Amino acid sequence: MKSSNPLASMEKAMNDFLTSGSLKAALQRANNIFSFGTKVLAGLAFVCFLSTTFITNQVSPLISTSKVYVVKGQGSGLTGDRDYYDNKANDQGFINFDLKADLSPLFNWNVKALYLYLTAEYITETNTLNEMVLWDKIILNGEKMELDLKAAKTKYYFRNDGKGLLNHQNVTLILNWNVQPNMGDLKWVRSAKTHSFEFPGEYYSMKKRKN
Protein backbone atom coordinates (compact mmCIF):
# COMPACT_ATOMS: atom_id res chain seq x y z
CA MET A 1 0.00 0.00 0.00
CA LYS A 2 1.46 3.33 -1.09
CA SER A 3 1.77 6.15 1.44
CA SER A 4 -0.51 9.13 0.86
CA ASN A 5 1.72 11.48 2.91
CA PRO A 6 3.02 14.23 0.53
CA LEU A 7 5.95 15.03 2.82
CA ALA A 8 7.11 11.44 2.72
CA SER A 9 6.87 11.40 -1.07
CA MET A 10 8.90 14.62 -1.27
CA GLU A 11 11.52 13.24 1.09
CA LYS A 12 11.80 10.04 -0.97
CA ALA A 13 12.21 12.01 -4.21
CA MET A 14 14.91 14.16 -2.63
CA ASN A 15 16.78 11.14 -1.35
CA ASP A 16 16.61 9.50 -4.77
CA PHE A 17 18.01 12.68 -6.37
CA LEU A 18 20.86 12.96 -3.87
CA THR A 19 21.85 9.33 -4.21
CA SER A 20 21.69 9.35 -8.01
CA GLY A 21 24.31 10.76 -10.35
CA SER A 22 22.13 13.73 -11.34
CA LEU A 23 23.42 16.02 -8.56
CA LYS A 24 27.04 15.16 -9.27
CA ALA A 25 26.55 15.84 -12.97
CA ALA A 26 24.86 19.19 -12.26
CA LEU A 27 27.67 20.32 -9.95
CA GLN A 28 30.29 19.20 -12.45
CA ARG A 29 28.61 21.18 -15.23
CA ALA A 30 28.31 24.29 -13.02
CA ASN A 31 32.01 24.01 -12.13
CA ASN A 32 32.98 23.72 -15.80
CA ILE A 33 30.90 26.77 -16.73
CA PHE A 34 32.40 28.82 -13.90
CA SER A 35 35.94 27.77 -14.83
CA PHE A 36 35.40 28.60 -18.49
CA GLY A 37 33.85 31.99 -17.66
CA THR A 38 36.78 32.86 -15.37
CA LYS A 39 39.29 32.04 -18.09
CA VAL A 40 37.37 34.15 -20.63
CA LEU A 41 37.28 37.15 -18.28
CA ALA A 42 40.99 36.78 -17.52
CA GLY A 43 41.75 36.65 -21.25
CA LEU A 44 39.65 39.75 -21.94
CA ALA A 45 41.36 41.60 -19.10
CA PHE A 46 44.77 40.73 -20.51
CA VAL A 47 43.76 41.89 -23.99
CA CYS A 48 42.48 45.12 -22.44
CA PHE A 49 45.83 45.60 -20.72
CA LEU A 50 47.84 44.92 -23.90
CA SER A 51 45.72 47.26 -26.01
CA THR A 52 46.84 50.37 -24.09
CA THR A 53 49.96 49.49 -22.10
CA PHE A 54 52.37 50.67 -24.82
CA ILE A 55 50.60 53.98 -25.42
CA THR A 56 52.79 56.85 -24.18
CA ASN A 57 50.91 59.99 -25.14
CA GLN A 58 52.34 63.29 -23.92
CA VAL A 59 50.90 66.73 -23.32
CA SER A 60 52.70 70.07 -23.39
CA PRO A 61 51.31 72.26 -20.60
CA LEU A 62 51.86 76.01 -20.53
CA ILE A 63 53.01 77.00 -17.05
CA SER A 64 53.90 80.50 -15.87
CA THR A 65 54.13 82.38 -12.58
CA SER A 66 52.35 85.69 -12.06
CA LYS A 67 53.37 86.42 -8.47
CA VAL A 68 56.32 85.16 -6.44
CA TYR A 69 57.53 86.10 -2.95
CA VAL A 70 59.25 84.66 0.14
CA VAL A 71 58.43 85.10 3.85
CA LYS A 72 60.15 84.01 7.05
CA GLY A 73 58.17 81.10 8.43
CA GLN A 74 55.03 83.18 8.80
CA GLY A 75 52.44 80.43 8.64
CA SER A 76 50.04 79.59 5.87
CA GLY A 77 48.76 82.98 4.76
CA LEU A 78 49.49 86.67 4.49
CA THR A 79 47.67 87.60 7.70
CA GLY A 80 50.65 87.84 10.00
CA ASP A 81 49.32 84.98 12.12
CA ARG A 82 51.57 82.11 13.15
CA ASP A 83 50.59 78.49 12.77
CA TYR A 84 51.67 75.42 14.73
CA TYR A 85 54.59 74.71 12.40
CA ASP A 86 55.86 78.28 12.37
CA ASN A 87 59.66 78.39 12.32
CA LYS A 88 61.62 81.51 11.46
CA ALA A 89 64.56 79.34 10.42
CA ASN A 90 62.57 78.13 7.41
CA ASP A 91 61.83 80.08 4.26
CA GLN A 92 58.30 79.81 2.92
CA GLY A 93 57.48 80.62 -0.68
CA PHE A 94 54.22 81.84 -2.15
CA ILE A 95 53.43 81.72 -5.84
CA ASN A 96 50.49 82.37 -8.11
CA PHE A 97 50.67 80.32 -11.28
CA ASP A 98 48.90 79.97 -14.62
CA LEU A 99 48.40 76.49 -16.04
CA LYS A 100 46.90 75.62 -19.40
CA ALA A 101 46.83 72.12 -20.87
CA ASP A 102 44.73 69.86 -23.08
CA LEU A 103 44.67 66.46 -21.37
CA SER A 104 42.51 64.60 -23.89
CA PRO A 105 45.52 62.74 -25.47
CA LEU A 106 46.08 61.04 -22.10
CA PHE A 107 42.61 59.47 -22.05
CA ASN A 108 41.42 56.36 -23.87
CA TRP A 109 38.75 53.73 -23.29
CA ASN A 110 40.92 51.98 -20.68
CA VAL A 111 41.65 55.08 -18.56
CA LYS A 112 39.44 55.47 -15.51
CA ALA A 113 40.97 58.62 -14.02
CA LEU A 114 43.94 60.94 -14.18
CA TYR A 115 45.74 62.22 -11.10
CA LEU A 116 47.57 65.50 -11.78
CA TYR A 117 50.07 67.12 -9.49
CA LEU A 118 52.35 70.14 -9.84
CA THR A 119 55.78 69.88 -8.26
CA ALA A 120 58.56 72.36 -7.60
CA GLU A 121 62.15 71.15 -7.87
CA TYR A 122 65.25 73.07 -6.84
CA ILE A 123 68.72 72.64 -5.35
CA THR A 124 70.02 74.19 -2.13
CA GLU A 125 73.32 74.07 -0.29
CA THR A 126 71.97 71.53 2.20
CA ASN A 127 70.04 69.30 -0.25
CA THR A 128 71.01 68.17 -3.72
CA LEU A 129 67.34 67.90 -4.68
CA ASN A 130 64.23 69.39 -3.11
CA GLU A 131 60.86 68.32 -4.50
CA MET A 132 57.49 69.55 -3.26
CA VAL A 133 53.92 68.94 -4.38
CA LEU A 134 52.19 72.32 -4.57
CA TRP A 135 48.88 71.51 -6.27
CA ASP A 136 46.91 68.46 -7.40
CA LYS A 137 43.65 67.47 -9.06
CA ILE A 138 41.78 64.29 -10.04
CA ILE A 139 40.02 64.21 -13.42
CA LEU A 140 37.64 61.33 -14.18
CA ASN A 141 37.07 60.02 -17.68
CA GLY A 142 34.17 61.96 -19.16
CA GLU A 143 34.89 65.18 -17.28
CA LYS A 144 36.31 68.33 -18.81
CA MET A 145 39.81 67.53 -20.05
CA GLU A 146 41.11 71.05 -20.52
CA LEU A 147 42.88 73.00 -17.79
CA ASP A 148 42.93 76.78 -17.85
CA LEU A 149 43.98 78.14 -14.46
CA LYS A 150 44.69 81.83 -14.00
CA ALA A 151 46.66 83.19 -11.03
CA ALA A 152 45.98 79.98 -9.11
CA LYS A 153 47.34 79.60 -5.58
CA THR A 154 49.15 76.53 -4.33
CA LYS A 155 47.09 74.03 -2.32
CA TYR A 156 50.02 72.95 -0.15
CA TYR A 157 52.84 74.70 1.71
CA PHE A 158 55.95 75.69 -0.19
CA ARG A 159 58.15 75.54 2.89
CA ASN A 160 61.86 74.94 2.57
CA ASP A 161 63.94 72.94 5.03
CA GLY A 162 65.88 75.90 6.39
CA LYS A 163 67.01 78.89 4.38
CA GLY A 164 67.52 78.74 0.65
CA LEU A 165 64.49 80.17 -1.15
CA LEU A 166 65.51 83.81 -0.89
CA ASN A 167 67.16 84.93 -4.14
CA HIS A 168 67.04 81.39 -5.50
CA GLN A 169 67.75 81.60 -9.21
CA ASN A 170 66.29 78.35 -10.53
CA VAL A 171 63.07 76.79 -9.22
CA THR A 172 61.37 74.50 -11.76
CA LEU A 173 57.64 73.78 -11.90
CA ILE A 174 56.72 70.42 -13.44
CA LEU A 175 53.30 68.99 -14.22
CA ASN A 176 53.14 65.27 -13.41
CA TRP A 177 50.33 62.77 -13.86
CA ASN A 178 49.38 59.26 -12.87
CA VAL A 179 47.24 57.35 -15.37
CA GLN A 180 44.81 55.05 -13.54
CA PRO A 181 43.48 52.38 -15.95
CA ASN A 182 40.49 50.10 -15.64
CA MET A 183 42.90 47.21 -16.18
CA GLY A 184 46.70 47.36 -16.18
CA ASP A 185 49.60 49.02 -14.44
CA LEU A 186 49.73 52.54 -13.01
CA LYS A 187 51.89 54.89 -15.04
CA TRP A 188 53.71 57.84 -13.48
CA VAL A 189 54.70 60.42 -16.10
CA ARG A 190 56.11 63.93 -16.01
CA SER A 191 55.81 66.58 -18.67
CA ALA A 192 58.89 67.30 -20.74
CA LYS A 193 57.87 70.95 -20.87
CA THR A 194 58.55 72.80 -17.61
CA HIS A 195 58.73 76.35 -16.26
CA SER A 196 61.56 77.90 -14.23
CA PHE A 197 61.41 81.07 -12.16
CA GLU A 198 63.42 83.04 -9.58
CA PHE A 199 62.57 84.07 -6.05
CA PRO A 200 63.19 87.72 -5.11
CA GLY A 201 66.21 88.81 -3.08
CA GLU A 202 64.18 90.37 -0.26
CA TYR A 203 61.61 88.95 2.13
CA TYR A 204 58.01 89.98 1.67
CA SER A 205 56.90 92.51 4.30
CA MET A 206 53.88 91.18 6.16
CA LYS A 207 51.57 93.31 8.30
CA LYS A 208 49.91 91.76 11.28
CA ARG A 209 46.16 91.74 11.29
CA LYS A 210 44.66 94.26 13.70
CA ASN A 211 42.29 92.92 16.32
Side-chain angles (χ1 to χ4, degrees), residues 31-128:
N31 181 67
N32 292 338
I33 294 174
F34 177 78
S35 177
F36 177 75
T38 302
K39 292 176 181 178
V40 170
L41 290 177
L44 292 175
F46 185 68
V47 171
C48 177
F49 161 70
L50 286 181
S51 66
T52 58
T53 188
F54 299 109
I55 297 177
T56 56
N57 291 336
Q58 270 278 354
V59 297
S60 298
L62 299 177
I63 309 173
S64 61
T65 47
S66 55
K67 193 173 184 180
V68 177
Y69 42 90
V70 184
V71 298
K72 291 182 180 179
Q74 295 290 336
S76 60
L78 298 180
T79 62
D81 294 337
R82 302 291 201 272
D83 65 7
Y84 180 78
Y85 298 99
D86 179 35
N87 188 342
K88 287 187 177 181
N90 294 332
D91 286 346
Q92 182 169 331
F94 289 86
I95 66 171
N96 289 4
F97 65 93
D98 299 340
L99 174 59
K100 187 173 184 178
D102 179 12
L103 305 172
S104 56
L106 302 179
F107 282 90
N108 56 61
W109 65 276
N110 190 33
V111 174
K112 177 171 59 178
L114 196 66
Y115 172 60
L116 302 171
Y117 57 104
L118 185 71
T119 58
E121 294 186 1
Y122 58 98
I123 298 173
T124 59
E125 294 181 357
T126 55
N127 297 301
T128 55

